[in-house]
Amino acid sequence: MSNNVYIGYEFTVQPIQPAVEILIAELGYAGFESFVETDNGVTAYIQKEEWYDAILNDIQILNSDEFEISYTFSEIEQTNWNAEWEKNFKPIIVDNICSVRAPFHEKPNTEFDIIIEPKMSFGTGHHETTHMMIQHILKNDFTNKSVLDMGCGTGVLAILAAFKNAKPIDAIDYDNWCYLNSLENVQRNNCKHITVLEGDASLLVNKSYDIIIANINRNILLQDLKTYASCLYKGGILFLSGFYNDDIPIITAECEKFMLKFEEKLERNNWVSLKFLN
């Protein structure tokens, strides 16, 4: 984030899932640009100049009888977001093979060393879903494979794919902040074969890939699985995450409609990541 003035909404949600995923998706379409999940729900931020009194009127989940959602909001004074981020962001190491760190962290002794400045973008590797996607990439052959990183966040998964000699790679996110952040991180890691695009699955017309990585919330995955399947070469691989163990039956059933065969599951704190073969 820049040093603009923001409005911050503190949402308390019961039960938390899948309500928080749906809430974040709807708020994202309404113009909120960053989210921090909390023990009780989620905090969402929007630039003050983009905010208006009725901004929550179209957030349908707020009217749902299935969940109890309350909120407060306030203006956030100009904040040095980078300083806040640097204070809280710690480097991570996945399976002693891949590190994800900031430029100011000491370089670890790992085979793959990814340097990112996520600021407020999703995808530092700390979240369970990103961690599992990194594990999938580490375990599979990406050499000379064409790759799509859908919902790329910071670009960390596309960057790791590039480090594993994939090419060409498309990294797509509908969030402008993620798009700009991914551009920065791709350049920072000197990745020549990654194209970063701003948008959604509508950008995938006439595109084909050997491997598709999609770490997005469940509802967007279900909406776009048909598109992913149509873009996947025969023998290609689809990695999915962004949902819970309880969501596996509905995700798998949708994949089976398009002849995608379940291959492997990773699980971390009830979050899951699935591998499918075309």
Side-chain angles (χ1 to χ4, degrees):
M1 285 184 177
S2 63
N3 287 338
N4 294 330
V5 177
Y6 282 78
I7 305 293
Y9 278 75
E10 299 269 356
F11 290 93
T12 300
V13 183
Q14 289 294 333
I16 283 189
Q17 294 297 352
V20 164
E21 291 180 16
I22 300 168
L23 180 59
I24 288 174
E26 292 190 14
L27 291 171
Y29 284 119
F32 286 78
E33 65 179 54
S34 59
F35 308 93
V36 177
E37 292 192 39
T38 66
D39 291 339
N40 299 314
V42 65
T43 303
Y45 298 95
I46 186 169
Q47 290 193 37
K48 186 177 180 180
E49 62 187 36
E50 301 291 329
W51 179 86
Y52 54 94
D53 282 340
I55 195 158
L56 297 186
N57 283 7
D58 293 328
I59 308 301
Q60 296 178 10
I61 192 171
L62 297 179
N63 301 316
S64 170
D65 294 332
E66 296 180 52
F67 311 106
E68 292 182 22
I69 302 177
S70 59
Y71 62 88
T72 60
F73 67 97
S74 60
E75 183 173 310
I76 310 297
E77 291 301 323
Q78 290 195 358
T79 302
N80 186 337
W81 290 103
N82 287 352
E84 287 295 307
W85 165 75
E86 289 182 12
K87 186 169 66 179
N88 294 303
F89 178 52
K90 302 290 187 286
I92 68 155
I93 295 179
V94 178
D95 296 344
N96 294 316
I97 302 172
C98 177
S99 52
V100 182
R101 65 181 178 93
F104 54 83
H105 290 138
E106 184 178 343
K107 187 180 188 302
N109 183 24
T110 53
E111 182 178 356
F112 303 108
D113 180 36
I114 302 174
I115 303 172
I116 61 169
E117 294 206 40
K119 300 171 186 172
M120 296 297 284
S121 296
F122 179 84
T124 61
H126 290 80
H127 194 275
E128 285 86 346
T129 59
T130 311
H131 190 107
M132 288 184 291
M133 285 299 217
I134 289 173
Q135 290 181 304
H136 274 308
I137 295 172
L138 292 174
K139 292 198 299 182
N140 286 269
D141 179 18
F142 275 67
T143 302
N144 294 320
K145 306 286 190 184
S146 55
V147 174
L148 167 65
D149 178 6
M150 195 70 197
C152 59
T154 61
V156 63
L157 300 178
I159 291 166
L160 180 56
F163 284 0
K164 292 206 66 184
N165 300 310
K167 60 181 178 181
I169 302 165
D170 287 340
I172 298 177
D173 207 298
Y174 76 91
D175 182 278
N176 180 253
W177 183 253
C178 292
Y179 164 71
L180 295 174
N181 194 212
S182 290
L183 285 174
E184 293 174 13
N185 290 325
V186 164
Q187 184 176 18
R188 181 173 288 109
N189 288 273
N190 197 30
C191 295
K192 306 295 187 188
H193 301 292
I194 299 177
T195 301
V196 182
L197 302 167
E198 183 177 2
D200 57 19
S202 64
L203 297 177
L204 301 179
V205 177
N206 297 324
K207 288 183 175 286
S208 297
Y209 303 94
D210 295 306
I211 298 173
I212 296 177
I213 301 163
N215 185 16
I216 317 177
N217 76 66
R218 185 192 76 164
N219 294 335
I220 300 297
L221 288 177
L222 290 171
Q223 171 187 298
D224 292 343
L225 267 170
K226 181 179 182 180
T227 302
Y228 302 155
S230 70
C231 294
L232 198 58
Y233 285 123
K234 189 64 183 171
I237 302 172
L238 174 65
F239 296 109
L240 301 176
S241 197
F243 49 92
Y244 290 92
N245 235 323
D246 292 345
D247 299 316
I248 290 177
I250 189 170
I251 294 287
T252 303
E254 190 67 16
C255 286
E256 287 173 350
K257 288 182 186 177
F258 309 109
M259 309 304 291
L260 297 169
K261 303 180 191 68
F262 171 75
E263 176 79 5
E264 184 182 10
K265 177 184 91 166
L266 299 180
E267 182 176 353
R268 192 173 173 87
N269 296 331
N270 203 37
W271 292 93
V272 292
S273 180
L274 306 181
K275 175 184 178 182
F276 290 88
L277 300 180
N278 189 19

